[in-house]
Amino acid sequence: MGGCISFQISCDSVLDGVGSCLCGEGNHIRNLEKNLETLEKAMGVLKARRDDVLTEVQKEEAKGQRRLNEVQVWLTSVQTIENHFDVLNNTRTLELQRLCLCGVCSKNLISSFRYGRRVSLMLKDAENLKSSGVFDAVVAEVVVTEQPATRCMVEEMPIQPVIFGQETMLERAWNHLMDDETAVMGLYGMGGVGKTTLLKQMNNKFCEAVDGVQIVIWVVVSSELQVEKIQDDIAEKLGLRREEWNQKQGRNKVNDIYANMKNKKFVLLLDDIWRKVDLAEIGVPFPTRENGCKVVFTTRSREVCGQMGVDDPMEVQCLKNTEAWNLFEKKVGPLTLKSHQSIPEQARKVAEKCRGLPLALNVIGETMSCKRSIQEWHHAVQVLNSYAADFSGMDDQILPILKYSYDNLKGGQIKSCFQYCSLFPEDYLIEKERLIDYWICEGVINKNEDRERTVNQGYDIIGTLVRSCLLQEEGSNKAKVKMHDVVREMALWITSDLGENREKCIVRAGVGLCEVPKIKNWSAVERISLMINNIREVSGRPKCPKLTTLFLQENMPLTSISGGFFMCMPKLVVLDLSQNLRLNRLPEEISGLVSLKYLDLSRTMISQLPVCLHKLKKLMHLYLEGMRNLRSIYGISNLSSLRTLALLHCNKLRFDESWKELLLLKHLEVLTIEIVSKVVLEKLFFSNMGRRCILKVVIKDIREESFRFLNFPTILRSLKGQCFPNLSSVSIEGCSGLNDLTWLLFAPNLLHLRLTNLRQLEEVMSKEKADKMQVQDIIPFGKLETLVMLNLPAVKSIYWTPLPFPCLREMYIELCPTLGKLPLDSKSVAEVEMFVIKCEAADWIEGVEWEDEATRLRFLPSRRKVMGYCY
């Protein structure tokens, strides 16, 4: 039954072993406590001697000397024994507690014997190092000889073997860094986009010899910038982190780091900085072209790049569609993708939800790698489309990382503004000024008496969010912003109190709803966004005591809203019903929205405003643009708080009498209007209110041969300066008797000018009239972005001399046969590479007279032949 092994150990041999432990040569147990004390003193002397030698070495090295090999060997030996002593000393208390019988014996003889022997041996080594640490010289002269490039000191960072989509980015970043003109380089981008990975790749490229670089130092900074921690990490890489380092004052640490680095060609890599890192405060010599040193940092903030003195940082962007799919495909794996014929199609839908963000692609791809039934993939798509925070890995691996950017925003105001942006659908372009108006009405931005100041504050907040990579600017003139989808999910997660209160903000925008979703607790809802759906009817009588914003715009089938729906919304301040093309009436109960400040009915089919609308005494912004059936705005003067009134493109609206009501709106700041009569032009447009408030105007079809008042308005003769300070868009169409538009000199903020079918127009600006008006010093069109001139058969000139046009992006000129010269020279148009001159007639542009040959060559690439023009 199994084998047995027998041992015979004589009593004599056991006694001999015990005796050697207790009384043998060295007496390792009996002398343990005394040897430890002696070793501790010896190590103290040895460290002091090491510090003296190292100080002398560094002093001489700073003069260009080279340390002797025997000195380096000795220093390395001291460092080794110091490390071993630290390990030995960690168990000192435990080993001393094991001793018994007045230190002669031990409760664990073998363990104490081995420990005591290590102490004795280390004591001998320490004494030997002490005696050998006396040097006649510690350095020698450096002999310069031609030698191959040496590898610099760099710690290779572990990274994935294949980095999808970053090959081109790495090449561009590396070339920029290696440029002699680059001393400090910034990499910025949203969280999870791959900035750290890119920096690691750059770090590892230094493992090969690179133009004399001696040392590469990697430091993780993070949101809590701690100068002392950065100094410690740098000191560790430089070999300065010794026992006395922690005892040194800050100034001494700065001096030590500076003395060690000032004669080295170094590269300092700072990962994840959130505010300016002052190199001088740390002790790092500032990199210059002369010393060849480099500093590279990563950050989520474009603003931090500016603070670090980098005007042209490199943005690390999300992956393109193909690259994103390749990464996701790799993470999911071929076995899963081939396990069902329909999985690849669903996998692409899941990958698209990540919008090229590597962090999301990695986490979600890994999560889905084991899902091999089509039902699981359908479920994943459904969860990501409804409430993405419920997806596995979202609320613990993705959203918290992105939330650091949100947490770093300063103050509750900007955080509230950011959360508001999540009301819009995925990839939706949000007009900046419209967004600012929402914020004002919600009370997120304090309304000042001066609208310009309030709007500027809104733009400042948007700029901060853009520079923090929480919003993205879009459009050629950057008038719109949008949210990355994963950032939007993070915002919704935060708004719902990290998922704890999901009905606080109901956002079902752009998801194809055909009816208003069922909400269990209407009383908890603060904001609702059901925009861009297919809702046909809005009914019911929900009790919403906390509701402040309701988005119902762009529901194309929507035909009716019941009166009861608005009856219990006492705090509603923003109501957007725009672009509901079948909505032809509003219920009278809308008058119960006593707190309403913002109402948008643009591009609806409503022909008559509710009589009770005048009860909305707090209404500040009323948008009625594109209401082609609207016939009257009678009673508009009762809206005493109105500050914005948009009336453009209301084809059937006439102002025969209502223009008088507009003059009664004492608080009006912004007006957009279409004018089709001489009376309204004279009485409203050139009135004090009109000149102050009109932002956009269309003047059309005023057919009068005598158009003297618009040619040279009498009222402007005595006025100086900015008569039309807010006027940004002017369109004049089909008006007779118009010879020039010299009065536009008084519109310094004009962005868009469109002139069509003006048969008598001879010059846009008349020098003769400008001289009479004594405005020769005004340089027009300083902010103009687009100029359209169509069917102006008599026009000969735009301006009599070349203009700078610093903001001009586009000209469209067609059917202007007598216009032989454009007011351009070789310095006009700041961003000429983005500028285009469009026309249909190639022979006209070929016959244009240029100021000189340099001008012709400058604008030669700008010419485009087009068929028709889209306004």
Side-chain angles (χ1 to χ4, degrees):
M1 297 290 298
C4 295
I5 299 177
S6 166
F7 291 96
Q8 277 191 327
I9 304 176
S10 71
C11 184
D12 291 342
S13 62
V14 172
L15 291 174
D16 289 344
V18 172
S20 67
C21 289
L22 298 176
C23 308
E25 186 178 354
N27 299 319
H28 299 311
I29 295 178
R30 186 177 63 186
N31 296 331
L32 177 59
E33 190 168 5
K34 184 177 74 172
N35 286 347
L36 276 172
E37 291 175 359
T38 305
L39 176 61
E40 190 171 24
K41 291 178 183 178
M43 288 302 300
V45 174
L46 182 60
K47 289 178 184 178
R49 177 62 187 148
R50 185 269 315 276
D51 291 346
D52 290 342
V53 171
L54 194 57
T55 300
E56 182 67 20
V57 167
Q58 290 175 343
K59 178 181 174 182
E60 295 301 320
E61 283 182 335
K63 300 176 183 178
Q65 302 288 305
R66 177 185 61 82
R67 69 178 66 182
L68 295 173
N69 291 335
E70 65 171 330
V71 174
Q72 182 59 49
V73 169
W74 183 82
L75 288 171
T76 303
S77 299
V78 174
Q79 183 65 53
T80 300
I81 196 174
E82 184 179 353
N83 294 338
H84 291 167
F85 174 73
D86 290 340
V87 174
L88 199 69
N89 207 35
N90 285 337
T91 57
R92 172 178 182 164
T93 302
L94 176 64
E95 292 296 342
L96 290 176
Q97 288 174 349
R98 285 176 174 166
L99 299 180
C100 58
L101 298 178
C102 299
V104 175
C105 194
S106 170
K107 299 171 186 176
N108 188 331
L109 285 172
I110 295 177
S111 174
S112 294
F113 173 76
R114 289 173 177 169
Y115 183 79
R117 183 170 59 183
R118 288 169 61 197
V119 171
S120 300
L121 293 174
M122 190 175 296
L123 180 58
K124 290 180 181 178
D125 290 341
E127 294 294 344
N128 291 335
L129 282 171
K130 273 199 303 180
S131 60
S132 64
V134 179
F135 303 99
D136 296 330
V138 294
V139 295
E141 292 286 342
V142 175
V143 179
V144 180
T145 59
E146 289 293 328
Q147 294 181 347
T150 58
R151 298 168 71 91
C152 71
M153 290 177 58
V154 55
E155 181 181 347
E156 187 170 2
M157 309 293 286
I159 56 175
Q160 298 178 21
V162 180
I163 308 295
F164 289 95
Q166 285 199 341
E167 298 86 356
T168 303
M169 202 179 303
L170 174 61
E171 182 180 3
R172 187 158 61 92
W174 182 258
N175 291 340
H176 182 63
L177 179 61
M178 290 298 103
D179 190 324
D180 290 341
E181 298 299 323
T182 302
V184 182
M185 178 179 174
L187 302 171
Y188 80 100
M190 63 185 291
V193 79
K195 303 180 296 297
T196 299
T197 300
L198 184 60
L199 193 65
K200 285 181 178 179
Q201 290 176 290
M202 296 172 72
N203 173 87
N204 290 353
K205 282 181 75 71
F206 283 103
C207 291
E208 306 167 6
V210 178
D211 193 24
V213 174
Q214 297 169 276
I215 185 169
V216 178
I217 301 173
W218 176 285
V219 178
V220 178
V221 180
S222 298
S223 55
E224 294 297 326
L225 192 155
Q226 299 176 9
V227 171
E228 190 169 354
K229 177 186 177 298
I230 298 173
Q231 289 175 323
D232 290 347
D233 288 347
I234 293 174
E236 185 79 36
K237 300 290 176 23
L238 296 174
L240 302 176
R241 190 86 183 270
R242 300 181 297 276
E243 183 176 345
E244 75 281 1
W245 173 261
N246 294 331
Q247 311 302 320
K248 290 190 175 185
Q249 298 298 316
R251 185 74 272 171
N252 293 331
K253 290 184 176 181
V254 170
N255 293 338
D256 285 359
I257 291 173
Y258 183 81
N260 193 279
M261 295 182 72
K262 69 178 182 179
N263 291 315
K264 285 185 171 69
K265 188 173 182 180
F266 65 85
V267 175
L268 176 62
L269 306 178
L270 301 172
D271 187 35
D272 195 25
I273 73 173
W274 292 78
R275 55 190 176 95
K276 179 181 178 180
V277 176
D278 189 339
L279 300 180
E281 186 181 5
I282 296 166
V284 175
F286 198 83
T288 63
R289 178 189 177 96
E290 289 69 31
N291 61 29
C293 299
K294 311 276 186 181
V295 172
V296 189
F297 63 86
T298 67
T299 179
R300 297 190 191 184
S301 172
R302 177 70 174 79
E303 197 166 297
V304 169
C305 295
Q307 293 170 357
M308 292 291 291
V310 179
D311 294 328
D312 58 340
M314 179 176 169
E315 183 179 7
V316 182
Q317 298 178 332
C318 290
L319 302 180
K320 303 296 183 185
N321 290 342
T322 302
E323 298 161 348
W325 170 247
N326 289 340
L327 174 57
F328 189 75
E329 186 180 32
K330 177 73 174 177
K331 288 296 175 181
V332 174
L335 291 179
T336 296
L337 289 173
K338 293 177 181 178
S339 60
H340 191 284
Q341 60 183 6
S342 298
I343 284 181
E345 179 185 354
Q346 298 303 311
R348 286 190 179 273
K349 292 181 181 179
V350 173
E352 285 171 7
K353 294 295 294 183
C354 300
R355 288 294 190 272
L357 184 66
L359 172 65
L361 290 162
N362 278 310
V363 172
I364 294 177
E366 289 168 357
T367 300
M368 297 304 297
S369 63
C370 60
K371 313 280 188 178
R372 296 185 180 177
S373 72
I374 188 61
Q375 291 82 4
E376 289 174 299
W377 282 88
H378 283 312
H379 178 67
V381 173
Q382 291 163 359
V383 171
L384 289 171
N385 281 332
S386 57
Y387 190 72
D390 282 341
F391 192 90
S392 177
M394 264 286 189
D395 64 347
D396 60 347
Q397 297 181 61
I398 297 175
L399 300 183
I401 291 175
L402 298 181
K403 187 173 177 286
Y404 285 129
S405 298
Y406 171 85
D407 293 337
N408 200 54
L409 296 173
K410 295 179 181 178
Q413 180 188 60
I414 191 170
K415 290 180 178 179
S416 296
C417 290
F418 168 72
Q419 290 181 39
Y420 200 93
C421 297
S422 66
L423 294 177
F424 300 92
E426 296 175 354
D427 275 337
Y428 188 83
L429 296 180
I430 313 167
E431 293 180 19
K432 288 182 180 179
E433 296 223 356
R434 187 66 60 93
L435 181 60
I436 292 169
D437 283 341
Y438 289 145
W439 289 344
I440 293 170
C441 293
E442 271 269 0
V444 180
I445 296 181
N446 296 326
K447 170 62 182 164
N448 297 304
E449 288 301 318
D450 182 3
R451 173 175 170 78
E452 183 182 4
R453 182 176 177 182
T454 306
V455 171
N456 288 342
Q457 182 187 5
Y459 272 102
D460 183 67
I461 290 172
I462 290 173
T464 300
L465 293 173
V466 169
R467 290 188 293 273
S468 300
C469 297
L470 291 171
L471 288 180
Q472 302 169 346
E473 284 184 317
E474 292 289 332
S476 54
N477 58 352
K478 298 183 178 179
K480 298 178 181 180
V481 290
K482 72 173 184 178
M483 253 186 179
H484 187 281
D485 285 0
V486 184
V487 173
R488 177 176 175 269
E489 295 297 341
M490 181 263 290
L492 290 171
W493 181 59
I494 292 170
T495 303
S496 68
D497 300 328
L498 308 188
E500 295 297 320
N501 189 3
R502 298 188 186 184
E503 291 193 336
K504 181 179 178 181
C505 186
I506 305 296
V507 180
R508 303 288 287 136
V511 296
L513 294 179
C514 294
E515 60 182 13
V516 175
K518 290 178 173 54
I519 298 172
K520 293 181 180 179
N521 186 13
W522 281 97
S523 61
V525 180
E526 297 179 10
R527 291 171 184 156
I528 300 177
S529 176
L530 304 177
M531 63 185 290
I532 315 182
N533 281 300
N534 297 309
I535 297 173
R536 298 176 179 276
E537 181 183 10
V538 176
S539 59
R541 191 172 179 173
K543 293 182 180 180
C544 307
K546 296 181 180 179
L547 186 65
T548 58
T549 289
L550 175 58
F551 285 172
L552 284 169
Q553 63 265 41
E554 296 188 62
N555 279 276
M556 298 304 177
L558 183 62
T559 56
S560 69
I561 302 175
S562 69
F565 189 77
F566 292 127
M567 291 190 68
C568 299
M569 299 178 179
K571 291 188 177 181
L572 190 67
V573 292
V574 174
L575 175 59
D576 197 329
L577 297 170
S578 63
Q579 300 191 62
N580 292 318
L581 301 182
R582 297 184 183 180
L583 186 65
N584 56 23
R585 62 175 295 274
L586 282 180
E588 294 291 331
E589 287 83 356
I590 198 171
S591 64
L593 302 175
V594 293
S595 299
L596 198 64
K597 296 180 180 179
Y598 184 104
L599 176 60
D600 193 345
L601 303 174
S602 300
R603 295 172 183 82
T604 61
M605 299 303 289
I606 296 170
S607 59
Q608 186 174 353
L609 298 177
V611 176
C612 62
L613 201 66
H614 69 274
K615 294 182 180 180
L616 303 177
K617 297 299 183 182
K618 293 185 178 181
L619 193 64
M620 296 167 55
H621 303 272
L622 180 59
Y623 288 88
L624 307 175
E625 291 188 341
M627 295 179 66
R628 299 184 180 277
N629 288 348
L630 186 65
R631 297 178 180 276
S632 172
I633 56 170
Y634 177 75
I636 199 79
S637 59
N638 291 312
L639 299 175
S640 55
S641 298
L642 210 58
R643 284 169 167 76
T644 300
L645 179 59
L647 298 170
L648 273 182
H649 309 304
C650 296
N651 295 356
K652 297 180 181 179
L653 185 61
R654 296 293 179 263
F655 294 94
D656 297 336
E657 294 296 329
S658 54
W659 63 267
K660 297 177 183 178
E661 287 201 67
L662 296 181
L663 293 176
L664 297 176
L665 295 170
K666 301 301 182 183
H667 298 290
L668 197 65
E669 297 170 334
V670 175
L671 176 64
T672 70
I673 192 169
E674 187 170 303
I675 298 174
V676 295
S677 77
K678 175 182 176 181
V679 173
V680 178
L681 192 64
E682 285 184 297
K683 301 296 186 181
L684 180 63
F685 184 69
F686 287 111
S687 68
N688 288 332
M689 186 275 281
R691 297 197 311 273
R692 185 185 77 251
C693 297
I694 291 181
L695 181 73
K696 300 177 181 178
V697 65
V698 174
I699 303 170
K700 62 188 296 186
D701 300 333
I702 303 178
R703 300 190 177 279
E704 300 194 22
E705 293 303 322
S706 179
F707 220 142
R708 297 183 183 279
F709 63 93
L710 193 52
N711 283 331
F712 186 32
T714 305
I715 195 169
L716 299 182
R717 295 182 183 181
S718 60
L719 295 176
K720 305 295 180 186
Q722 301 182 12
C723 299
F724 298 93
N726 288 329
L727 192 60
S728 68
S729 177
V730 173
S731 178
I732 305 177
E733 310 170 14
C735 296
S736 305
L738 201 55
N739 303 127
D740 67 87
L741 296 167
T742 309
W743 63 270
L744 288 174
L745 284 167
F746 295 106
N749 295 310
L750 192 65
L751 302 178
H752 309 286
L753 178 60
R754 181 170 174 263
L755 308 174
T756 61
N757 300 322
L758 306 176
R759 303 193 67 81
Q760 283 80 40
L761 189 72
E762 297 178 358
E763 49 192 350
V764 178
M765 298 283 184
S766 166
K767 185 177 188 306
E768 178 184 352
K769 291 181 180 178
D771 290 341
K772 289 181 180 179
M773 297 165 76
Q774 299 180 352
V775 290
Q776 299 92 332
D777 295 335
I778 297 178
I779 299 176
F781 304 137
K783 296 183 180 179
L784 194 70
E785 295 178 1
T786 60
L787 173 62
V788 176
M789 300 175 67
L790 176 61
N791 194 21
L792 311 176
V795 73
K796 298 180 178 64
S797 166
I798 297 174
Y799 197 74
W800 55 90
T801 61
L803 292 171
F805 287 118
C807 301
L808 194 62
R809 294 183 288 106
E810 183 177 308
M811 277 186 180
Y812 176 75
I813 299 175
E814 188 57 37
L815 298 177
C816 301
T818 60
L819 181 64
K821 188 176 182 179
L822 299 176
L824 302 170
D825 63 15
S826 59
K827 297 180 181 179
S828 299
V829 186
E831 297 184 6
V832 70
E833 63 279 355
M834 305 295 291
F835 174 66
V836 292
I837 303 173
K838 296 180 178 179
C839 65
E840 289 186 39
D843 56 339
W844 174 82
I845 194 69
E846 293 297 336
V848 166
E849 178 188 349
W850 299 98
E851 185 72 12
D852 49 36
E853 181 62 13
T855 305
R856 188 186 74 83
L857 293 175
R858 179 174 175 82
F859 293 101
L860 188 64
S862 302
R863 299 181 296 183
R864 301 283 190 279
K865 187 178 184 300
V866 296
M867 297 300 294
Y869 184 76
C870 296
Y871 303 111

